[in-house]
Amino acid sequence: MWHSSPPGSIYDYIKVASFSIGPDGLIDQWSLRAEELFGLTAAQAVGRDPVDAFMPPELREGGHRKVAEILDGKEWTGLIPFRIPGGNGAHGVAEIYVMPTETETAERAALCVVVDVRALRRIESDLAASQAIFGQSPFGFLLFGTDLTVQRANRRFATVFGGAVEEHRGRTVHDYLPPREADRMAAALRRVLETGEAVTDLQISGAAPGSREKRHWSINLYRVHGGSGLPIGVAGLGTDVTRRHLAAREAAGVRRNLALLNEAGHRIGNSLDLETTARELLDVTVPGFCDLASVDLYQGLLLGDDDRPARPQGPGVPSLPGRGSGRAPSAPLRRVAFASAVSDAPLSGTPFSGPPVAVGEIHRYPAASPGALALRTARPRLLESGDPNVTTLVQSTLVVPLVAHDTVVGLAQFSRTKGSEPFGERDRAVAVELAARAAVCIDNARLYRREHERALILQRSLLPPGDPEAAGLDIACRYLPGNAATEVGGDWFDVIELPGHRTALVVGDVMGRGLRAAVAMGELRTAVRTLALLDLEPAEVLSALDEVARGLGAPGGSQQASRAALHSRDADLSEVYLATCVYAVYDPVTRRCTIANAGHMPPVLVEPGEPGSAPRPGLLLEVPPGMPLGVGGEPFEEVEVELPEGALLALYTDGLVESRDHPLEEGLRGLREALADPVRPLEDVCDHVLATLDTRHGEDDIALLMARVQGLPTDAVGDWQLPREARSVGRARELARAKLPAWGLEGLLDTTELLVSELVTNALRYGEGEIRLRLLLDRTLVCEVWDGNLAQPRRRRARDTDEGGRGLQLVGLLSAGWGTRRTHRGKTVWFELPLPGATAEPVTELSAEQLLNMYG
């Protein structure tokens, strides 16, 4: 069979040439390869003596002798130095194979095959170097043919993939790699063979035969060419980079975890809400850390119960003081958050076997479950896919207890599904750190919720319960806290009943927010009510209230605050409580209102218009603003305003009219316009004001107190002047006896006549000037006796031998209430009786024997 070698065969590399010598010892044939080797054309070489042409003179004698032997039929092989004719100095060493031949006439001749020794030595050196590099290389080396089958493999490759070196010949990449990776490798080989462009650092992964350990290789491919320059295959050099890959993945994991913890520090705990904090934890971890996650918190903790399970004590557990009663981990929990990055994840989000748990559902973990064990030991647990507690969807789960301040508050579960990398020890540490941060934030939210609820209870308990009522006034009010997070504030309002059917209207605002402001507000409101019972004038009430406010920040009260003001060092240690307040007293008999202001917003008065006329806008009452409470050193002024029937008086805090988006004047103008129609029902007016004004609710608390003036009817008032003489006592009894039947109060005749007689007698005996008697009928019956003496009567227990001192004692026993107050011209002594059928505290009825015992 004929076989032809393509151009670029071994003969091209070793430079084989030939020529023949005729019977005469001269060259008679000269090959083209001989032309290349010796640099002579056939015309220059044929017919010449090869010894004379190519050999140095000193070797020619021996050369002629060898040629003669060859022509006698003797073969010869040897090395012969030669020089190229022409005198340019070129020379070399040729290895000549001389074979005797015969011509067609049977004459002796010779065929000479010449090989350039330099080319042979170079080929030997290249083969030795190639063998050293290929065979002794510490890297896997493959030579692929043009059909992409292995032509040669080195020992290192055979060591990794098994078998002898010769056994790998004829194999393909599919015999070594998984199908997907083998396809990538084959495509790269084909591309290198077709384009000649080398491929460097092609990342291939797989497992060696008989091993389950996943390895990573970096492959470099380049095309190999023959002597003629045509491609004969592709060389591949593979380096095991598994360690480098693991190190890179480890570094990437560390960077990812650090970024995750950094993100957690920014995103977890931004709100003081338990459920929101749990959702923030899942927003950080899914999908950056895991595919599924859920958070359970103890139901008692969510309900504000501080009886939480303490961190367990025992062998292997750090001895840390826990709080709470040590409630068992079987206590009910509530699923507060769940997140999933997997579309076919269970709705519940629990990675454990068992029924699903929906968000908001209350549940318990079985005693032997991983969740219960984690809660009981306060230690995280790692569950792998072989664990029966793990679903088929999940391949690994971290169950991490939420521990804050040595107390377990709940449980977090992080799961990775099939296809994701399972959790490792570093992931466990990251999960514990994330859970610890979230637990502290959750515990802070719990503490805030507890304090917030307590402050709300305190604040709401200090506001007037229900709808306030007042004689001669229709009252409506609104209180809007700033927002859900800052609901506790220092705004307050109050409606206080005063003697004589008068009413005190109070609106105040403690600067600041939170429990501190709420407590200060409660103390000031209590002080206002106490001062109101003394029936002081509005300016006097604010002056006394200013002293109270100055004493709130000093441990020793107002006196300590006054001394601290003289010493700057002590003053720095005292907290400053500032508040604004407006205090108004309305008398329904005269329909006059006395108002004093301590740095508060001015009241708004809306007078009723004429029937059919356009509504009038509200007027800002010109009340001297004064300094806020707590500043001290400045007196307060008061003004008296007459309120027409049907007029509307509005007291409010600055949250209603003040905003960062518009000036205060604009808010006051909007309020005046919103109050322009005082005829509509008062509750509707309140709603209209809040709906109309751009209050920016959420920035500040809002308190709004409205009163529509009604006044007492003239027939509900009895007012008489009595001369200072003994017969005025009888006259007072006659006036009371005549007035009460007109009001339908015959049942109160005897008690009223007796008590009026006692008060008028005391006024004659201890008072000065004229005596004034006034009866007022509204929700109760009030009797007032005025005189010009400023000395306040004092109730005392009379001894058996005393002739007097029993009048006020009798008044206190028979009336629902009694008291005294100073006026501009003296004092007023009053008592109050409930109307028949009214749901009031019953008045003590004295027997005849009790009355006789009082008077001895």
Side-chain angles (χ1 to χ4, degrees):
M1 178 182 292
W2 289 92
H3 178 74
S4 61
S5 297
S9 67
I10 186 63
Y11 300 105
D12 293 326
Y13 290 100
I14 64 178
K15 296 184 179 181
V16 177
S18 66
F19 63 91
S20 62
I21 301 175
D24 55 1
L26 302 179
I27 298 172
D28 60 359
Q29 291 185 1
W30 191 256
S31 67
L32 296 178
R33 287 288 179 90
E35 289 185 6
E36 296 177 2
L37 178 60
F38 295 103
L40 297 176
T41 63
Q44 294 173 326
V46 174
R48 298 185 65 178
D49 186 342
V51 175
D52 294 338
F54 300 106
M55 294 186 69
E58 64 272 12
L59 298 179
R60 289 175 184 175
E61 181 179 354
H64 285 112
R65 189 168 50 249
K66 287 294 183 182
V67 171
E69 293 177 357
I70 293 170
L71 292 177
D72 287 339
K74 184 179 179 180
E75 291 186 1
W76 182 82
T77 301
L79 297 176
I80 298 178
F82 68 90
R83 61 180 178 82
I84 298 176
N88 58 0
H91 65 279
V93 177
E95 185 175 13
I96 300 180
Y97 300 87
V98 182
M99 294 169 286
T101 62
E102 292 183 352
T103 64
E104 58 185 9
T105 58
E107 292 182 296
R108 298 281 185 178
L111 176 65
C112 299
V113 178
V114 183
V115 178
D116 188 351
V117 174
R118 292 175 303 175
L120 287 176
R121 298 294 179 267
R122 189 163 54 248
I123 290 174
E124 290 176 355
S125 176
D126 291 346
L127 287 175
S130 174
Q131 182 63 30
I133 295 175
F134 193 85
Q136 302 174 22
S137 172
F139 310 110
F141 204 106
L142 288 177
L143 181 63
F144 295 91
T146 55
D147 58 353
L148 303 186
T149 61
V150 176
Q151 300 298 313
R152 189 176 180 184
N154 70 345
R155 187 180 297 108
R156 175 61 179 169
F157 182 86
T159 301
V160 175
F161 286 91
V165 172
E166 295 76 11
E167 295 177 3
H168 293 278
R169 188 183 301 274
R171 294 183 180 180
T172 67
V173 293
H174 288 83
D175 296 321
Y176 305 106
L177 299 174
R180 183 176 178 181
E181 295 291 87
D183 292 340
R184 291 180 57 230
M185 181 74 174
L189 287 170
R190 195 175 298 109
R191 185 169 62 254
V192 171
L193 187 63
E194 293 174 355
T195 66
E197 296 180 358
V199 172
T200 59
D201 198 21
L202 174 64
Q203 297 294 319
I204 296 295
S205 61
S211 173
R212 298 183 60 182
E213 182 182 2
K214 189 176 182 180
R215 311 293 295 179
H216 297 267
W217 294 280
S218 173
I219 307 296
N220 296 304
L221 304 175
Y222 58 94
R223 191 168 66 181
V224 179
H225 301 84
S228 63
L230 296 178
I232 61 173
V234 177
L237 180 66
T239 305
D240 191 335
V241 294
T242 303
R243 291 185 179 179
R244 187 177 72 185
H245 181 82
L246 293 177
R249 189 175 63 181
E250 193 86 356
V254 171
R255 289 193 299 269
R256 183 181 64 250
N257 292 338
L258 289 176
L260 184 68
L261 294 175
N262 182 62
E263 183 183 8
H266 289 290
R267 297 181 58 183
I268 298 177
N270 290 325
S271 78
L272 291 173
D273 181 76
L274 294 170
E275 292 83 355
T276 302
T277 303
R279 288 192 296 268
E280 289 171 347
L281 171 63
L282 302 193
D283 291 341
V284 171
T285 55
V286 178
F289 180 71
C290 60
D291 301 316
L292 298 169
S294 63
V295 175
D296 298 317
L297 298 179
Y298 279 110
Q299 176 71 356
L301 180 136
L302 294 169
L303 297 177
D305 180 12
D306 198 31
D307 185 21
R308 299 173 293 149
R311 184 165 183 160
Q313 308 290 326
V317 179
S319 180
L320 299 174
R323 292 182 300 178
S325 64
R327 181 174 48 199
S330 60
L333 299 101
R334 186 196 302 174
R335 176 67 48 83
V336 296
F338 166 66
S340 171
V342 184
S343 58
D344 57 348
L347 178 63
S348 67
T350 175
F352 300 145
S353 59
V357 179
V359 174
E361 184 176 346
I362 300 174
H363 67 102
R364 286 181 172 87
Y365 286 109
S369 66
L373 293 176
L375 291 171
R376 188 160 51 246
T377 62
R379 294 185 180 277
R381 298 180 63 84
L382 175 60
L383 308 177
E384 300 295 345
S385 56
D387 195 297
N389 294 288
V390 179
T391 65
T392 57
L393 173 68
V394 175
Q395 76 163 339
S396 64
T397 295
L398 278 169
V399 185
V400 186
L402 301 173
V403 182
H405 305 115
D406 308 325
T407 304
V408 179
V409 299
L411 187 72
Q413 301 174 30
F414 308 102
S415 300
R416 290 180 179 174
T417 57
K418 300 295 177 61
S420 299
E421 184 179 356
F423 288 117
E425 288 302 318
R426 179 172 286 103
D427 296 320
R428 182 201 294 259
V430 172
V432 170
E433 177 65 21
L434 290 172
R437 295 190 182 192
V440 171
C441 295
I442 288 172
D443 196 53
N444 290 340
R446 178 196 65 82
L447 294 174
Y448 171 80
R449 174 180 289 185
R450 184 185 65 182
E451 299 302 323
H452 186 248
E453 289 177 351
R454 291 177 179 177
L456 286 181
I457 294 173
L458 170 64
Q459 184 183 42
R460 289 168 179 168
S461 66
L462 296 176
L463 295 175
D467 298 326
E469 296 182 357
L473 292 176
D474 184 13
I475 303 291
C477 53
R478 294 289 187 275
Y479 177 78
L480 298 179
N483 53 48
T486 59
E487 189 172 351
V488 180
D491 291 14
W492 91 91
F493 66 90
D494 209 344
V495 179
I496 307 172
E497 294 187 34
L498 300 178
H501 289 311
R502 293 172 305 127
T503 302
L505 304 176
V506 187
V507 170
D509 183 3
V510 177
M511 297 182 185
R513 187 171 293 163
L515 185 61
R516 174 181 179 272
V519 171
M521 177 269 287
E523 294 190 20
L524 291 177
R525 179 178 180 269
T526 302
V528 170
R529 282 190 159 265
T530 302
L531 294 171
L533 292 178
L534 300 178
D535 211 352
L536 302 176
E537 296 296 328
E540 295 176 327
V541 170
L542 293 186
S543 296
L545 200 61
D546 178 64
E547 291 293 329
V548 173
R550 292 174 62 192
L552 291 179
S558 60
Q559 293 182 356
Q560 181 67 25
S562 300
R563 289 193 296 267
L566 300 176
H567 302 84
S568 59
R569 181 178 178 181
D570 295 336
D572 293 338
L573 300 177
S574 300
E575 291 186 84
V576 178
Y577 287 80
L578 298 180
T580 63
C581 180
V582 61
Y583 185 89
V585 176
Y586 171 70
D587 189 343
V589 179
T590 62
R591 289 201 306 273
R592 300 188 68 83
C593 186
T594 306
I595 307 174
N597 191 353
H600 201 79
M601 293 286 106
V604 176
L605 175 65
V606 184
E607 298 182 352
E610 299 294 333
S613 62
R616 298 180 180 180
L619 300 174
L620 295 177
L621 294 180
E622 296 183 359
V623 181
M627 299 298 292
L629 302 175
V631 175
E634 294 293 332
F636 296 96
E637 301 181 36
E638 60 186 39
V639 296
E640 192 174 64
V641 181
E642 186 172 352
L643 305 180
E645 186 75 17
L648 182 65
L649 183 66
L651 307 179
Y652 53 93
T653 56
D654 56 1
L656 183 66
V657 295
E658 196 172 28
S659 174
R660 290 176 293 183
D661 298 334
H662 57 73
L664 177 61
E665 292 75 11
E666 182 178 339
L668 292 173
R669 183 170 59 254
L671 175 61
R672 293 168 55 200
E673 294 173 354
L675 293 172
D677 186 9
V679 179
R680 69 173 70 183
L682 205 55
E683 295 291 336
D684 295 344
V685 175
C686 287
D687 295 337
H688 175 70
V689 168
L690 295 177
T692 302
L693 294 182
D694 184 15
T695 60
R696 297 291 179 183
H697 178 48
E699 295 181 359
D700 197 1
D701 304 336
I702 295 175
L704 175 62
L705 177 62
M706 291 188 180
R708 175 172 289 133
V709 176
Q710 296 174 342
L712 288 181
T714 56
D715 58 355
V717 179
D719 196 350
W720 303 278
Q721 295 286 343
L722 299 176
R724 191 169 188 78
E725 52 190 34
R727 61 186 182 90
S728 293
V729 178
R731 175 60 178 165
R733 289 197 297 267
E734 292 176 1
L735 293 173
R737 182 171 290 276
K739 193 64 176 177
L740 264 59
W743 291 340
L745 301 178
E746 291 84 353
L748 298 179
L749 277 175
D750 294 337
T751 302
T752 304
E753 184 179 2
L754 175 60
L755 299 185
V756 165
S757 175
E758 290 293 337
L759 294 187
V760 174
T761 300
N762 283 345
L764 287 173
R765 181 176 299 177
Y766 305 109
E768 298 177 0
E770 290 188 348
I771 300 172
R772 182 180 177 185
L773 172 64
R774 189 166 73 169
L775 296 178
L776 306 176
L777 176 62
D778 191 69
R779 291 172 298 167
T780 61
L781 176 64
V782 174
C783 174
E784 298 177 335
V785 175
W786 300 5
D787 67 77
N789 190 350
L790 293 176
Q792 300 291 311
R794 183 171 59 89
R795 179 179 175 181
R796 61 184 179 85
R797 180 175 297 276
R799 295 188 297 270
D800 294 342
T801 57
D802 292 340
E803 296 183 359
R806 298 176 179 83
L808 293 180
Q809 186 178 355
L810 185 63
V811 172
L813 290 173
L814 295 180
S815 65
W818 75 279
T820 66
R821 69 174 183 274
R822 289 182 298 173
T823 63
H824 295 292
R825 298 181 179 179
K827 68 175 181 297
T828 300
V829 183
W830 57 271
F831 69 84
E832 183 178 18
L833 294 176
L835 302 182
T839 57
E841 190 174 320
V843 177
T844 304
E845 294 188 2
L846 301 179
S847 63
E849 183 178 356
Q850 289 175 316
L851 290 174
L852 290 176
N853 289 336
M854 290 180 60
Y855 289 93

